[in-house]
Each structure stands twice: as structure tokens, then as C-alpha cells.
Amino acid sequence: MSDPRADSETDSSTSTEAPQILSAAFWRSPLAILFLALVTVGISRSMLFAVLPPIARELGFTEVLVGLMFAAAAGMFAITSPLWGRLSDRVGRVRVIALGLTGFGVFMMLFTLAVATGLAVALPLWAIFLLMFVPRVASAAASAGVFPAAQAYVADTTSARDRTSGTSMVAAAMGFGLISGPGIAGLMSAYELLAPMYLAAALGIIGGIMAWRLLPEPPRTQAQKDTPRPKLQLRDRRIIAMMPISMAISMMVAVTQQTSAFYFQDILGLDAAGTARATGAALMMMAGATLFVQTAIVQRFRLAPPVLIYGGLVLAVAAYTVLTMAASFWMLTTGLVMVGIAFGMANPGISAAISLSVTPDEQGSAAGLNASMSATGFMIGSLVGPGGYTLSPDLPHYFGLVALTIILAGALFVRFPNPNKMPPIDPSDTPA
């Protein structure tokens, strides 16, 4: 196995410096098209967190069933992400991004039609659940292709020094979508509860078409896409220690997103539409904090992955300490904002660290494995959040506090790569 440092230096002639999102140069680059495509996914996904819990209660679903649906979608995401990542190494990034976005939009439309049917027709609860379950899981399988291909696209077009800045662009795109999604959902749900979900489906399809027609394939990938690719394994010693951290970061976000609507509805005594508005406002502030960190701090100061990871985990532990004591809208919102800042730091840090640990030919596979672990964490959070809330409203936050404390302690023993001084890789450290 070759040295990633050497590969990065060799590839620097085809890589470009990652422009900052707020600069004019960024909006003249192909990364702007990728940013806009990812924003559509962020908007579409975040809308569900604001509107699906109250809709599910209108249909008669329990919190556990809501969590099961989210967990199943995350499980499918985890299974298919590595497959999509390896496919992007073989056929190219743009094809996978466009197919994933379009598939997500089509299946989301079917999911919304299933919800509309359940609200309009007196069907058994199991039948409504099944009608919603299948397209929801299918939409997750399709969208699973977008993130590893996007991360690999950034790795193809940035140098090692700018890798953290590039991965923060991907995260910032999702953050911008998360800002817009809940707010749009809250406003639209005041007039029609299902309107945000129809919009989410349309945005997915539009994003897929936009990516296919406007996003250029990276030259390096285009030239080498027919070359056999190494099959990166999860047990690879270069990345295995980072995967639990990726999983914990996603779990943290899932627990807060999946339970926030229930907390706001029960604490404030709101109806379905009021819950969607309150949850949308809080999640919008949470996502705004994430976006601010990723654009104003991570990209501007180019912080090294260890700084971002350790800082994010410390702040995450502090956030869950606040959430365990929260008993009002503003205390809950403060905790969510702290979670948003923690995620904004740790997520691009761990993505960059994983990317810097492998060779250019392994970028899609590495991004797919990272997305799989992230989805696994989301699945755990989706089960622990609503399920734990059913047992005791305090349980999800205490679980997050304990789990993140353990992960933080373990991260102290992990050696993260420095983009300015890449260590040599011993071939014996890499499974054959």
C-alpha cells in the first residue's frame, strides 16, 4: 500500500485550493454546484424531523414506531453507503450523486403519498405503517450514495492541506439545508401539514438533475474510473479507531433531533402544527450554529482535525449536561445550539482525518465506510431517543451524556493525521 502523503503530493497538480464558501471564487467553482445539490438533501431530510413526529401521532403511531422507521432508514443507509462509495470509485462521482439525489426524490414522493393515504383513508395501523415504511427505507438507500460520492469528490479536487476546509464545505451544505428545512416546514405546515414533504421530494429530483447537467466529473476520477480499485475494509488499521467517533457524533445528533419534537410538544402542550413550528425554530437555530462554525471558523482558520474532534466532543458532553437539566423552550434550544456547534466542529474533523488516512484510489470507499458508521450511529440514536423517551423523558439525554464521555476518553488515545505532516504508512498495517 502506498503512502497517502506521497499520493497527496503527487496528486497536488490536479487538486485545487478549496475556496471559502463566502468567497466569490467558491461560487465560480464546480464546488458551488456540489454545495447546492447537497443543500437540497439537507433541506429535505431536516423537514422530516419537524413534521413527521406530529404527523405520526395524528396517524396513531407511538414514539417507538417513529423511532423504528427512522432507525430502519438509517440501517439501510449504513448498509448501502459502502456499496455506493466503491461504485463512485469505479464509475465516477457525478453519476452516483445524481442517481442518489433523483432516487431520493422519487421515493420521498411515494412516502408522502403514503402518508396522505393514511390521513385520508381509514386503514389498519399496520397497513399505514407498511405503506410508509417501504418508500422511507428506499429513499434512505438512494440518498446513501450522495454523501460518500460528495466527500470523495472533494478529496479528488483538494490538496491534503485543504482537505478539512473541503470536507467542511460538504458539512456546511448540509448545515445550510438543516437551517432552511425546519423553518420552511414550520411555515408551510401552518397551511398544509404535508406540503413540506412534497417540497422535499421535488427538491431531491431537481437536485439530481442539476448535479447531472452542471457538475463536472473530476479529471482524476474520469481518467482512472475503469482501473480496478482496492477494496478498503472497515478493519483497516488506518481508520478503524476513528469509526466509533464518527458513529458517536451522528448518534448525538439523532438523539436530539428525534426527541426534540416530543419534548416541545409535551413540555409546552402544543398541537401538531404548533409542535412543528416550535421544533422547526429550535432545529433551525441548532443548524445555524453548525453552519456558522463550519463557514466562519473551520474554513477560515483551517483548524487541524484533532483540534476539531477534541473540541467538538468536549462541547458535546457539555451540551448533554445542559439538556439533562432542560425544562423550558429556551433551555432545550440552548442545548440544541450547543449540539449544533459540537457537530459543526467534530464532523468535518473526523471526515478529513479519515480522508487523509487513505490513498486517492480509496477515497470513495473510505467515505462510504464513514457514512455507514455515521448512519449506524444515527440508527442507534433513533432507537435510544424515542424508545428511551417512552420509558423516561430523561433517559435519552443521560444516555448521550454517558456515551459521549466514554468516546471522548477513548479519542485521547487515537492518533489523528496532520495534513501538514502526513506520517508514512507501514504496508503491514493494511490488510491484504
Side-chain angles (χ1 to χ4, degrees), residues 80-89 96 99-100 141-146 148-149 364:
T80 55
S81 288
L83 303 177
W84 282 113
R86 288 195 292 269
L87 183 64
S88 78
D89 283 337
V96 172
L99 183 59
S143 66
V146 179

Side-chain angles (χ1 to χ4, degrees), residues 214-236:
L214 301 177
L215 187 64
E217 185 70 28
R220 189 194 64 81
T221 302
Q222 182 67 36
Q224 300 184 9
K225 66 182 181 180
D226 295 327
T227 304
R229 295 285 185 260
K231 187 175 181 180
L232 187 67
Q233 300 291 332
L234 181 61
R235 64 178 183 272
D236 193 299

Side-chain angles (χ1 to χ4, degrees), residues 220-350:
R220 189 194 64 81
T221 302
Q222 182 67 36
Q224 300 184 9
K225 66 182 181 180
D226 295 327
T227 304
R229 295 285 185 260
K231 187 175 181 180
L232 187 67
Q233 300 291 332
L234 181 61
R235 64 178 183 272
D236 193 299
R237 294 180 183 179
R238 295 170 295 173
I239 62 174
I240 188 172
M242 305 180 202
M243 292 303 176
I245 303 174
S246 177
M247 186 169 62
I249 294 169
S250 183
M251 181 202 70
M252 166 188 69
V253 175
V255 168
T256 53
Q257 287 180 333
Q258 303 292 325
T259 59
S260 58
F262 297 131
Y263 278 107
F264 287 129
Q265 186 168 38
D266 293 341
I267 289 175
L268 304 179
L270 303 173
D271 58 13
T275 300
R277 287 192 295 271
T279 306
L283 292 180
M284 184 168 61
M285 285 186 275
M286 171 182 166
T290 299
L291 181 62
F292 174 80
V293 169
Q294 291 167 344
T295 55
I297 296 179
V298 176
Q299 287 215 331
R300 181 179 178 85
F301 296 103
R302 295 181 178 177
L303 301 177
V307 175
L308 294 172
I309 294 167
Y310 292 136
L313 289 175
V314 169
L315 188 57
V317 172
Y320 268 92
T321 302
V322 171
L323 288 172
T324 58
M325 301 181 292
S328 67
F329 174 85
W330 287 113
M331 284 193 71
L332 284 169
T333 301
T334 299
L336 291 177
V337 168
M338 293 175 68
V339 168
I341 297 173
F343 180 74
M345 295 176 65
N347 186 50
I350 196 66

